[in-house]
Amino acid sequence: MRKTLLSLFGIALVGGLLSRCGTGPGEEQMQKGDTLAYVNLHDSVGYVGKEVCGGCHSSIAQTFGHTGMGMSFGPATPEKSAGSFDGKKIIHDPHLNLSYRPFWKDDELFVEEFRMRGKDTIHRRIQKVDHIVGSGQHTNSHIFGVNGYLFQAPFTFYTQKGVLDLPPGFEDGHNSRFSRMIGLECMSCHNAMPLGFVAGSENKFDVVPNGIDCERCHGPGEAHVRKIGSGRLTDTSQAIDHSIVNPAKLDVELQFQICQRCHLQGNAVLKKGKSFLDFKPGMELKEIMDIYMPRYENSKDAFIMASHVDRFKMSECFKAGMGKFNCTSCHDPHVSVRETRIEGFNATCKKCHGGKGHPRFSCTVQESDFLSANGNCVSCHMPSSGSTDIPHVTVHDHFIRKPKTQSTTVEGGFIRLECINEKDPAITSRIRAYLQFYERFEAVPQALDSAEVLIEKASTRESLLFERVLFHFLKGEYSQIVKWVE
């Protein structure tokens, strides 16, 4: 009898554990925001692709396909391209005395690089383009592959102004021609999860997806598909389906982390042993990387293109919202911003600024100015402005405030780097941030000075071999590298 009872207890215990690992009642009772409950965050859960998701969520998949995210990457075809490229438009780089002419041939895109000496062509290279990155709302940039290794082609079409020019970072004597590698950091934000990346390489991909997809915001879908396929359904009006992440059910800060992953493109320093593939929705971004933004004297107006979250968090509206005012308060991630009417954005403002009987909310501008702006709150309080890192482009400044003249000019010198997603980053992270900033973004002496101070502050138990070697290399002190290593 005793053995029988123990056996029954054992079966019940195992059954209870399995129900909590699966999608039974135990799982559904998990609290909102408990990321440990999400089965699809486990490393063993695979990605299924947007086509599988669209089998059940067809209407959402259709509208999402028209968003900037859904159109972020694709093959180099006339349908994908925002530029006509009739072969008549030419970009000239005066620093290298090189010119570029993109053109179509039988629906395939090519770019010709050439150099003239008088009327003679003394250099000529023709490169086929394989991929276009960018939805066309702001830009189309171009990528070509060589045996799976991806590189950026030296031309970009800036759609807002219809300008053909060198890509960002290629101007002012920095034209790297056909050698800029498209690595995991770039691909992991401009596309679906790049699972075809070849480990150990810098820029080789066996498979390249076409566009940001469902699983970038919801996490791997394999567990969810298996659950639904087995007939185990969850009434999501009553409980959370923990087989897949629904960002709307996460705590507001974790929702921000998802947006921050790509809409806070500062200076990213990976944590030890982590890669750009490791972040999944529902995680805290600081588990994977620290992101630093430069701060300058007397400049709250200068900002880079993908700094939406940083700018938004500076707003009094965000601070007063106490966590209730976030990205999705204005943006439906499944619907293109082009299809969201002014009334939709104004409705968010109206929740705090006026109501019935206040057709102009609490706006204090002259009636004529209000009408000339078509009653569009965003046009005044989030005006379009150029960014400091992307030419020929304007974007809404997400720092919501009273109207003022916007500027993209840095009005003062560099002060410091500020870590946006971690209050107390490790000293090695801070050192690498300054070194990366100097090497990749802006070669200001203050960055190396700050790195040197932090290296000296670091514990003697930390060898900081990589950091010390890179520091002396960037300063051109090659003999110091040898001396220190010896």
Side-chain angles (χ1 to χ4, degrees):
M1 183 69 177
R2 179 185 176 90
K3 289 183 179 180
T4 302
L5 288 173
L6 287 173
S7 298
L8 290 173
F9 176 75
I11 292 171
L13 177 61
V14 170
L17 290 172
L18 288 174
S19 72
R20 289 186 67 79
C21 291
T23 52
E27 179 190 295
E28 305 304 347
Q29 292 168 5
M30 295 287 186
Q31 295 297 311
K32 174 181 177 180
D34 184 358
T35 58
L36 295 177
Y38 286 100
V39 177
N40 70 326
L41 294 186
H42 196 276
D43 290 341
S44 64
V45 179
Y47 292 84
V48 297
K50 59 185 177 183
E51 294 79 14
V52 174
C53 302
C56 292
H57 305 280
S58 57
S59 60
I60 291 177
Q62 184 176 10
T63 58
F64 178 77
H66 296 289
T67 65
M69 291 184 289
M71 299 170 64
S72 63
F73 203 98
T77 62
E79 292 76 23
K80 170 63 179 167
S81 178
S84 59
F85 304 138
D86 56 8
K88 297 178 181 179
K89 295 179 179 178
I90 294 175
I91 307 166
H92 182 66
D93 179 359
H95 300 276
L96 296 180
N97 189 27
L98 286 170
S99 297
Y100 298 93
R101 182 179 70 92
F103 62 95
W104 293 102
K105 182 179 179 182
D106 299 328
D107 289 342
E108 291 185 325
L109 183 57
F110 297 84
V111 60
E112 177 188 16
E113 178 190 69
F114 61 95
R115 178 182 286 124
M116 303 295 293
R117 180 181 291 163
K119 295 183 178 181
D120 295 328
T121 302
I122 61 173
H123 164 75
R124 187 170 185 250
R125 171 179 176 173
I126 293 180
Q127 177 64 57
K128 183 179 180 295
V129 175
D130 299 299
H131 310 283
I132 294 177
V133 58
S135 66
Q137 183 173 344
H138 298 104
T139 66
N140 273 175
S141 285
H142 304 84
I143 295 173
F144 67 95
V146 179
N147 297 324
Y149 293 90
L150 298 187
F151 301 87
Q152 184 168 3
F155 71 104
T156 289
F157 185 71
Y158 297 89
T159 56
Q160 288 175 309
K161 296 184 178 180
V163 172
L164 180 66
D165 205 346
L166 291 170
F170 280 63
E171 62 275 89
D172 300 327
H174 300 291
N175 182 2
S176 50
R177 301 173 64 194
F178 298 93
S179 64
R180 177 187 277 182
M181 294 183 288
I182 301 297
L184 186 56
E185 182 173 4
C186 300
M187 190 67 75
S188 64
C189 269
H190 287 285
N191 212 339
M193 187 63 79
L195 300 176
F197 178 70
V198 179
S201 74
E202 289 192 65
N203 63 324
K204 187 174 184 180
F205 298 83
D206 285 337
V207 179
V208 181
N210 284 324
I212 295 168
D213 63 9
C214 317
E215 292 169 297
R216 290 310 308 273
C217 294
H218 293 277
E222 183 184 36
H224 182 63
V225 171
R226 188 186 301 120
K227 171 179 177 286
I228 300 301
S230 68
R232 291 175 291 158
L233 305 180
T234 299
D235 181 358
T236 53
S237 67
Q238 302 296 321
I240 296 173
D241 181 352
H242 283 92
S243 68
I244 195 158
V245 171
N246 179 354
K249 303 295 184 181
L250 295 173
D251 291 333
V252 67
E253 187 55 39
L254 290 179
Q255 293 180 37
F256 265 124
Q257 304 290 320
I258 298 173
C259 303
Q260 235 175 232
R261 172 62 186 90
C262 293
H263 289 273
L264 185 59
Q265 282 295 291
N267 182 0
V269 179
L270 287 168
K271 297 294 179 72
K272 187 176 181 180
K274 300 297 184 181
S275 88
F276 290 103
L277 289 173
D278 290 335
F279 177 77
K280 295 177 182 177
M283 290 181 170
E284 288 199 57
L285 193 58
K286 67 181 181 180
E287 297 175 27
I288 311 300
M289 66 188 78
D290 296 330
I291 300 179
Y292 294 82
M293 299 292 286
R295 300 306 187 205
Y296 299 91
E297 295 173 351
N298 306 319
S299 178
K300 284 191 174 182
D301 294 333
F303 61 94
I304 65 172
M305 181 80 168
S307 59
H308 307 81
V309 173
D310 181 39
R311 302 292 290 177
F312 181 47
K313 285 190 171 183
M314 295 167 65
S315 310
E316 291 301 322
C317 291
F318 169 76
K319 297 173 184 176
M322 302 294 288
K324 295 180 180 179
F325 185 39
N326 57 37
C327 307
T328 55
S329 298
C330 296
H331 294 286
D332 182 341
H334 300 129
V335 178
S336 171
V337 68
R338 297 172 178 173
E339 298 173 16
T340 306
R341 299 174 62 84
I342 291 173
E343 292 81 1
F345 293 115
N346 280 0
T348 303
C349 303
K350 192 174 182 178
K351 290 178 181 177
C352 296
H353 300 280
K356 291 184 179 180
H358 298 273
R360 288 183 46 190
F361 315 112
S362 54
C363 187
T364 58
V365 301
Q366 296 293 325
E367 183 73 19
S368 58
D369 293 333
F370 183 81
L371 294 175
S372 66
N374 295 318
N376 183 359
C377 306
V378 170
S379 66
C380 289
H381 297 278
M382 298 173 60
S384 291
S385 180
S387 65
T388 59
D389 58 336
I390 311 290
H392 313 303
V393 161
T394 58
V395 62
H396 282 291
D397 184 359
H398 282 60
F399 180 9
I400 307 168
R401 49 186 162 162
K402 292 180 180 180
K404 63 175 293 183
T405 302
Q406 299 295 299
S407 169
T408 59
T409 303
V410 177
E411 298 175 355
F414 171 78
I415 303 175
R416 68 183 188 282
L417 292 177
E418 181 179 343
C419 189
I420 303 302
N421 67 318
E422 173 65 87
K423 291 182 179 179
D424 187 23
I427 194 165
T428 52
S429 171
R430 295 166 62 199
I431 294 168
R432 288 201 179 196
Y434 279 108
L435 295 175
Q436 285 185 179
F437 182 75
Y438 183 91
E439 183 179 25
R440 302 179 187 178
F441 299 96
E442 192 174 348
V444 291
Q446 299 96 312
L448 288 185
D449 292 344
S450 297
E452 185 174 24
V453 170
L454 290 170
I455 287 173
E456 295 307 317
K457 273 187 178 180
S459 168
T460 55
R461 290 174 295 176
E462 299 180 71
S463 65
L464 299 177
L465 175 62
F466 173 86
E467 291 79 8
R468 288 178 185 270
V469 169
L470 181 55
F471 169 74
H472 290 302
F473 175 79
L474 293 175
K475 292 198 75 172
E477 299 172 344
Y478 309 121
S479 60
Q480 284 294 107
I481 297 175
V482 176
K483 181 180 178 182
W484 187 84
V485 172
E486 289 177 344

